Amino acid sequence: MDPAVLGTKLASSLVAPLVKRLFVRDAAGAGLVERPVRVSALVSFRGEKRTLSEPDVHKIAGVLVREALRSPGERPFPADEETAVTDALARTLLALGTLDMDDVQAVRLGHGELARELLRRAPAEELSADAEYFLRSAAEWACVHVIDFFTRRSSFVARTLVEQVRGQAELISRVDELIARTPRQDGRDSAFERRYLAYIAKKHSKLFIYGIDLINSPGRWPLDAAYLSLQATAPSGLAEEIVYFDTARRNAERTLIAAENALRQAATTGLSQAARERAHQARATLEHAVHRTASLAALHQTSRIPLPADEALADHERIMLRGEAGSGKTTLIQWLAVSAARPTGDGGDSGRMTYLRDRIPFVLPLRSLTRHGGRLPAPRHFLDAVGAAIAGEQPAGWEARVLTAGRALVLVDGIDEVPEAERALARAWLVDLVDAYPGNRWLVTSRPSAVREDWLADAAFTELVLSPMRPEDVVSFVRRWHTAARPAAPGEDGDLDRYQAQLIHAVRTKPDLGRLATNPLMCGLICALHRDRRGFLPLGRKELYEAALTMLLARRDRERGMPSPELREEPQLQILQRLAYWLIKDGRTEMARERAVAEIDKALPALPEAAALGDADTVLAHLLNRSGLLRAPSTDTIDFCHRTFQDFLGARALLDEGTFGMVHKHAGDDQWEDVIRMAVAQGRPRDRGEILGELLRADSPRALLLAASCLEQATELDPSVRTAIENGVAGLVPPPDLESAYELAAVGPLILDFLPAPRQLASSGEETGAGDGAAEAAHLCVITASLIGTDTAIPYLAEFAGHPSWRVRKQLSGSWHRFDTEVYGREVIARLRHDDLYLVAHSAAELAAVRAMGGRPWMQLEGDFAPEDLAAQLDPGQLTRLDLRGTVRDLSVLARFPRLGTLYVTECPPEVFLAGLAELPLLAKAGLSAQHVAVSAQAGLVLPRITTLHVYDLGTERQLRSLPPVFPALRVLRLMLRPGYDPRKDSGLLTELFPGVSVRVAEAARRGNHE
């Protein structure tokens, strides 16, 4: 019989009083005694003050059994067992007096367990199964009331609280003891992270600046003082967009040519009014199409919008950054690591870099990770693999926890320094990490040609390219270099001031020097040599490197007063070039120390002067300690201080060995490009001819262009070889497509001699009847020349200033920032036909130059501008169209330009208020971001004069519904959507919100040319 069933037979009003009689009356107080009071001390049938005897307990048991039997229904057990069951129940109740637990413990035990404990202490003898079942049920039911009685005692609640407090105190004590013995994981992580970040900040907080360590000064300088923020550019469209828009552009330009021919015919022969209108309409339609498709130049890399390279990760989670040797890739990684590691507010440019706060940087130079050809490391081995001094101190699994939480800044340096055969494995390793740990920030660096353009595209990496240093960057670098040099040269401030001024003037006025000063490495060498030679500089790249080697190998120790064994420059070069060539042939940039010792040991028998220093270990130590060219990244590895020196010295070894077949073998290998160029620069005329002949024998456009890029350094060369290269290159111009234009631009200023002039392109187009083809060729030639980026290209570009093709002139307008502001402005911008063209300005200096030219009616601003720049430099009397792609934080300044009829605002901060637009009486056409419109709608702004509107980055229906109140007079609406949102899915929504309005929707929002 179940206790619940038995409970229906025995009313609580009967059982409760009987059970209550089994216990003594409750005393006052909370029962707070030294030791808990046991149940056995609470029963009324034991002790000196007992009120019940054992027979009394038997009577209580008898009453319970009889009442159960008296209830209607089937008997629970045979009648002849009634006495035995009563006796067994009485013994069970009497067992309460033997319990060694207190009432709180009994309640915690529960009625079932309490009944089983009592039955165990007073087992029944010779009962039938039914009788035993009844006894268990009766015992449980009685215990239900026993526990209920305990909980009703006045001392129970207080006793329970006391027990809880005691239990909690004991638990807390045990937990504290456990924590003391085993700290919490997050606590250990936090403690280690503080130590790790301090280590990273210190390890990477110094830069090596070439040449300023000659006299009594350290070789490294504070990162904050020496770091120069460079620009990066990004493709502004996807490949499929480029194909689509390029096709549209070609079709549109053909239509424009037909329209212009029709208009010319109308002017001379007289067309009917209908034909004239059709021609005008064709021209207007085409101009709109050309603008609307954003042109190929705006979509592809030629019109990339520059942005600070160190801020790129604020907007992109994953970046593939390409840059030439010495362009500052590794320095950028140092800067990012230090910016993430140092405390908030600490350091020079911390305001811009706050987006990296709370990121844990992992700096992973691939040259170190791949030096032994083994597997690339899993996260748990990151610190070991890079030889971090604190490796092994991190809590187990710390790296994985950081990555899983999305807190990591992973900086992978030097894909190009991985042997080509191992790059696929490196890519698989990298993609696997990215897939396994989403939400982190990733930066991967490489030389431009090391891997194909879409190498990491399917892993959602954004491609960026480090831009060559602009003229203002070079000037800034020269000033910083001389500032960093002052503490090491007390008493030379006057000389340094003079050197600084001379060098700034030289890089601005000497084209040869300007072509060299394109990256931090070359600028550093130029500064060092200029100071070292008291204001006189080598003229060419080869001479610059040779002078730098002489400075580092022959004069460095003497000028620092080092008491070391004297070793002439040439024996050192022989050993260094042997090491460099081994690395180049093996496709690596680091070598094991034992390999370096073995190579030096092979060379010493032929170099008695070097052998006089001692064995190979001693010579290696001398080069590491004294040359400034070799480094030891770890105790068992050796590398060159910069890849450029490795390539230059490797080229010397190639010439000495005469193994020119290696040139043909590696003509398509990006790691050999600089080696081959430098071999041509250093070689004798016969050597140059053989090397360039091997490139011609490779019979590929890439090898031909590499040969052409070498000609500038080939001061003496077999005329037949030069002619063969020039004829080959002539077959590559004009470039047939954008990729070819980039390859031609990489040749450098030399390619300018091969690019056709506008009149040649025009005559070619007339002969073939392909006017649109001539315009396309002109566009690609201008792209090529503008990408060269030195002022030697300006005369060629100036010839296109009056070109009829809008896209050609658009390219010229957008390239101003690549050249000297004054010279390019005078020679190109001032002569540029601008009746249908937005003139692009990237700086306040360019704006000022435009104003000095008399202003322009259509302006496009890219970059950061202060409102006062606009107020001072834009002409209110003629500005009719303005495209703001830069940051202007206060648009109230626009009220100063009452003639504005068209305005685009796409890059300003979203919180910027558009109230200034309401004060423009002629404003009828605007392009705005959806966020700008939403902010204005919330403020109640109404712009009733705007009839044509382009809205960018529309992502929600709420943003869409904010448009009608702000723009009540719309007639034309163009919506550019964010991925994932399409208002056309609700068939009636657009009609409901914009009745009578011509609405067009573009799914891939572009911010090229808006019109």
Side-chain angles (χ1 to χ4, degrees):
M1 181 179 293
D2 187 90
V5 177
L6 181 61
T8 63
K9 295 177 176 289
L10 293 172
S12 294
S13 59
L14 172 66
V15 178
L18 293 175
V19 170
K20 188 177 180 179
R21 290 183 59 195
L22 297 174
F23 299 95
V24 297
R25 290 188 177 184
D26 197 9
L32 300 179
V33 294
E34 281 296 320
R35 295 181 181 178
V37 179
R38 295 180 179 179
V39 172
S40 59
L42 297 176
V43 296
S44 58
F45 49 81
R46 292 187 62 180
E48 297 179 358
K49 298 181 179 180
R50 71 184 67 180
T51 57
L52 287 181
S53 61
E54 289 189 10
D56 294 330
V57 175
H58 273 81
K59 289 180 182 179
I60 292 172
V63 171
L64 293 172
V65 173
R66 285 195 300 274
E67 290 297 323
L69 294 175
R70 190 179 294 126
S71 299
E74 180 184 359
R75 287 181 63 89
F77 55 83
D80 59 352
E81 290 189 286
E82 181 176 345
T83 300
V85 169
T86 300
D87 289 344
L89 182 57
R91 290 196 300 273
T92 301
L93 296 176
L94 289 169
L96 286 166
T98 66
L99 293 177
D100 55 0
M101 66 182 71
D102 59 28
D103 54 351
V104 175
Q105 292 172 328
V107 172
R108 190 179 297 125
L109 198 62
H111 71 275
E113 286 298 323
L114 180 61
R116 282 189 283 277
E117 178 62 21
L118 294 175
L119 290 169
R120 186 184 65 79
R121 291 172 179 267
E125 299 178 358
E126 297 180 356
L127 292 179
S128 66
D130 289 342
E132 285 186 359
Y133 185 74
F134 175 84
L135 177 63
R136 289 197 301 273
S137 299
E140 288 189 25
W141 186 239
C143 285
V144 169
H145 288 274
V146 167
I147 288 176
D148 181 67
F149 170 76
F150 287 161
T151 61
R152 292 174 184 272
R153 295 177 67 238
S154 61
S155 62
F156 178 79
V157 174
R159 282 277 300 122
T160 303
L161 291 175
V162 169
E163 288 297 319
Q164 287 178 348
V165 171
R166 288 173 176 169
Q168 289 173 354
E170 183 179 358
L171 179 61
I172 291 171
S173 176
R174 290 179 178 178
V175 170
D176 287 343
E177 183 180 354
L178 181 62
I179 289 175
R181 292 201 309 266
T182 309
R184 292 185 312 169
Q185 190 65 61
D186 59 349
R188 290 194 299 162
D189 283 0
S190 297
F192 175 75
E193 283 174 13
R194 287 191 294 272
R195 173 158 165 68
Y196 175 72
L197 292 176
Y199 167 77
I200 290 293
K202 186 172 183 179
K203 176 181 175 65
H204 295 287
S205 64
K206 301 288 184 180
L207 282 180
F208 181 83
I209 304 179
Y210 289 94
I212 59 177
D213 62 334
L214 285 178
I215 305 173
N216 301 320
S217 63
R220 292 184 172 271
W221 297 86
L223 185 66
D224 283 323
Y227 174 73
L228 177 69
S229 178
L230 297 178
Q231 299 286 308
T233 52
S236 57
L238 300 175
E240 55 267 28
E241 290 180 287
I242 294 169
V243 172
Y244 168 77
F245 286 127
D246 190 32
T247 302
R249 189 269 312 154
R250 289 173 184 270
N251 293 335
E253 194 150 277
R254 292 190 186 98
T255 307
L256 177 57
I257 291 170
E260 290 178 336
N261 289 336
L263 288 173
R264 283 195 294 270
Q265 182 180 0
T268 56
T269 62
L271 287 179
S272 67
Q273 183 62 29
R276 191 184 298 273
E277 290 178 357
R278 284 197 301 272
H280 279 293
Q281 182 61 39
R283 181 186 179 101
T285 300
L286 170 64
E287 287 179 342
H288 177 78
V290 171
H291 284 267
R292 183 174 61 83
T293 55
S295 87
L296 187 58
L299 281 171
H300 206 6
Q301 299 178 5
T302 57
S303 64
R304 296 166 172 174
I305 298 173
L307 70 158
D310 51 15
E311 295 181 40
L313 281 170
D315 300 317
H316 303 283
E317 186 174 288
R318 304 168 188 175
I319 286 178
M320 174 75 173
L321 180 70
R322 300 175 188 264
E324 298 289 351
S327 60
K329 301 184 295 295
T330 301
T331 301
L332 173 63
I333 280 182
Q334 284 185 247
W335 175 253
L336 293 172
V338 170
S339 296
R342 60 188 174 190
T344 302
D346 182 20
D349 225 353
S350 57
R352 295 187 305 107
M353 308 304 295
T354 52
Y355 75 93
L356 292 177
R357 294 293 177 259
D358 301 322
R359 293 279 173 184
I360 305 298
F362 294 102
V363 180
L364 304 176
L366 287 177
R367 64 158 67 187
S368 299
L369 303 185
T370 61
R371 60 176 174 256
H372 298 306
R375 291 172 58 87
L376 288 162
R380 67 178 180 275
H381 298 309
F382 278 177
L383 302 191
D384 278 323
V386 299
I390 61 173
E393 296 182 21
Q394 70 270 33
W398 168 72
E399 297 91 342
R401 286 191 292 276
V402 170
L403 287 159
T404 301
R407 299 172 54 224
L409 171 65
V410 186
L411 305 168
V412 181
D413 189 22
I415 289 293
D416 56 287
E417 297 181 356
V418 177
E420 189 169 9
E422 298 175 17
R423 288 177 192 168
L425 294 176
R427 183 187 181 281
W429 165 78
L430 183 59
V431 171
D432 190 43
L433 283 175
V434 170
D435 290 344
Y437 300 106
N440 297 285
R441 290 284 189 266
W442 305 79
L443 175 69
V444 180
T445 71
S446 174
R447 287 193 183 187
S449 57
V451 291
R452 66 179 188 274
E453 187 169 331
D454 60 346
W455 197 64
L456 287 173
D458 59 356
F461 274 76
T462 298
E463 286 270 351
L464 292 178
V465 179
L466 271 178
S467 304
M469 293 173 70
R470 300 167 297 177
E472 57 265 36
D473 294 330
V474 175
V475 171
S476 178
F477 185 97
V478 170
R479 288 175 177 153
R480 288 177 182 234
W481 189 97
H482 287 84
T483 298
R486 291 179 195 280
E492 292 187 29
D493 285 358
D495 289 339
L496 288 172
D497 288 341
R498 187 173 68 259
Y499 296 153
Q500 175 180 304
Q502 288 175 351
L503 190 53
I504 289 174
H505 178 73
V507 296
R508 285 173 169 170
T509 58
K510 294 183 178 179
D512 289 342
L513 188 60
R515 289 200 298 271
L516 289 173
T518 58
N519 61 55
L521 169 68
M522 296 303 296
C523 285
L525 284 175
I526 289 169
C527 290
L529 289 168
H530 186 260
R531 174 190 174 189
D532 184 62
R533 294 182 166 214
R534 304 296 179 184
F536 296 94
L537 279 171
L539 295 179
R541 190 182 184 195
K542 166 181 172 286
E543 291 77 13
L544 188 70
Y545 286 135
E546 288 176 341
L549 289 171
T550 297
M551 181 177 69
L552 294 171
L553 294 176
R555 300 184 57 187
R556 185 171 184 263
D557 278 353
R558 289 200 303 269
E559 297 196 9
R560 299 180 82 182
M562 299 295 293
S564 59
E566 187 84 13
L567 185 59
R568 288 187 308 112
E569 179 180 352
E570 187 58 31
Q572 296 181 75
L573 287 174
Q574 290 295 322
I575 295 172
L576 290 167
Q577 70 186 44
R578 186 183 188 100
L579 299 179
Y581 201 37
W582 186 93
L583 287 167
I584 291 166
K585 288 189 292 185
D586 204 49
R588 301 188 181 277
T589 54
E590 276 192 356
M591 67 195 311
R593 187 185 185 100
E594 60 184 23
R595 166 55 61 184
V597 170
E599 291 298 315
I600 294 172
D601 194 52
K602 294 177 187 176
L604 286 182
L607 298 169
E609 188 175 339
L613 292 178
D615 60 11
D617 271 310
T618 304
V619 173
L620 177 59
H622 176 87
L623 293 173
L624 285 169
N625 295 330
R626 299 290 180 256
S627 74
L629 288 171
L630 281 186
R631 303 182 307 180
S634 66
T635 56
D636 61 344
T637 58
I638 302 297
D639 70 358
F640 282 86
C641 67
H642 201 279
R643 172 74 174 274
T644 301
F645 287 116
Q646 174 183 311
D647 291 345
F648 187 82
L649 291 165
R652 277 180 53 108
L654 173 66
L655 292 167
D656 283 356
E657 292 187 10
T659 53
F660 300 139
M662 298 289 286
V663 173
H664 180 268
K665 179 180 179 181
H666 295 283
D669 186 343
D670 64 279
Q671 290 191 331
W672 279 74
E673 287 179 0
D674 274 350
V675 177
I676 294 170
R677 289 191 187 99
M678 293 179 184
V680 171
Q682 297 179 78
R684 297 169 299 180
R686 181 176 178 180
D687 295 334
R688 293 170 182 159
E690 291 190 41
I691 292 170
L692 295 174
E694 293 292 339
L695 289 177
L696 290 172
R697 197 164 63 85
D699 195 25
S700 73
R702 179 171 178 172
L704 180 59
L705 289 172
L706 177 57
S709 70
C710 296
L711 290 181
E712 188 176 13
Q713 300 295 327
T715 52
E716 184 181 350
L717 181 65
D718 184 339
S720 63
V721 176
R722 185 181 295 274
T723 300
I725 294 173
E726 290 174 349
N727 290 340
V729 173
L732 300 178
V733 294
D737 50 41
L738 278 168
E739 183 177 358
S740 299
Y742 286 116
E743 291 176 349
L744 287 174
V747 173
L750 178 71
I751 200 64
L752 294 170
D753 295 333
F754 299 94
L755 292 176
R759 60 184 179 278
Q760 294 173 297
L761 293 168
S763 61
S764 173
E766 291 173 2
E767 291 172 5
T768 61
D772 56 338
E776 170 72 2
H779 181 224
L780 292 168
C781 286
V782 169
I783 288 173
T784 302
S786 64
L787 290 175
I788 292 171
T790 67
D791 288 356
T792 53
I794 292 178
Y796 178 80
L797 294 171
E799 295 186 51
F800 291 85
H803 199 279
S805 170
W806 174 87
R807 290 191 315 118
V808 170
R809 289 178 283 112
K810 172 65 176 174
Q811 180 66 32
L812 292 172
S813 173
S815 300
W816 193 358
H817 65 288
R818 296 191 178 105
F819 300 93
D820 180 83
T821 299
E822 181 182 352
V823 177
Y824 192 88
R826 181 179 65 250
E827 299 296 326
V828 179
I829 299 299
R831 300 163 57 188
L832 194 62
R833 180 186 142 198
H834 57 268
D835 55 310
D836 59 349
L837 182 71
Y838 280 92
L839 184 58
V840 182
H842 289 83
S843 67
E846 292 178 4
L847 269 186
V850 173
R851 186 61 185 266
M853 297 173 197
R856 293 292 185 270
W858 298 11
M859 290 298 303
Q860 177 178 313
L861 307 187
E862 297 186 2
D864 293 338
F865 292 89
E868 50 268 28
D869 294 333
L870 277 62
Q873 308 300 349
L874 293 177
D875 184 358
Q878 65 172 313
L879 186 67
T880 59
R881 299 191 184 190
L882 180 62
D883 182 356
L884 287 179
R885 304 193 189 186
T887 298
V888 180
R889 296 189 175 275
D890 183 2
L891 295 183
S892 64
V893 68
L894 297 179
R896 294 172 175 262
F897 306 101
R899 297 193 62 191
L900 267 180
T902 300
L903 174 68
Y904 292 93
V905 180
T906 54
E907 301 295 334
C908 293
E911 68 273 9
V912 167
F913 189 36
L914 303 177
L917 278 60
E919 301 180 40
L920 299 173
L922 301 181
L923 186 63
K925 184 174 185 179
L928 305 168
S929 76
Q931 286 182 303
H932 286 139
V933 175
V935 170
S936 301
Q938 291 175 358
L941 180 67
V942 179
L943 299 172
R945 300 183 187 90
I946 294 178
T947 57
T948 300
L949 177 67
H950 297 179
V951 180
Y952 302 93
D953 293 332
L954 185 69
T956 67
E957 184 176 328
R958 181 178 180 182
Q959 291 176 335
L960 183 66
R961 290 184 178 276
S962 71
L963 297 178
V966 182
F967 307 99
L970 282 183
R971 293 200 296 268
V972 176
L973 175 63
R974 182 185 178 198
L975 303 174
M976 273 64 71
L977 308 178
R978 287 183 183 175
Y981 175 65
D982 191 344
R984 293 171 296 187
K985 293 181 180 179
D986 185 341
S987 59
L989 181 60
L990 293 176
T991 303
E992 170 198 340
L993 294 177
F994 308 104
V997 178
S998 173
V999 181
R1000 290 176 295 165
V1001 178
E1003 296 179 6
R1006 297 277 343 134
R1007 292 181 184 173
N1009 296 293
H1010 301 289
E1011 306 199 15

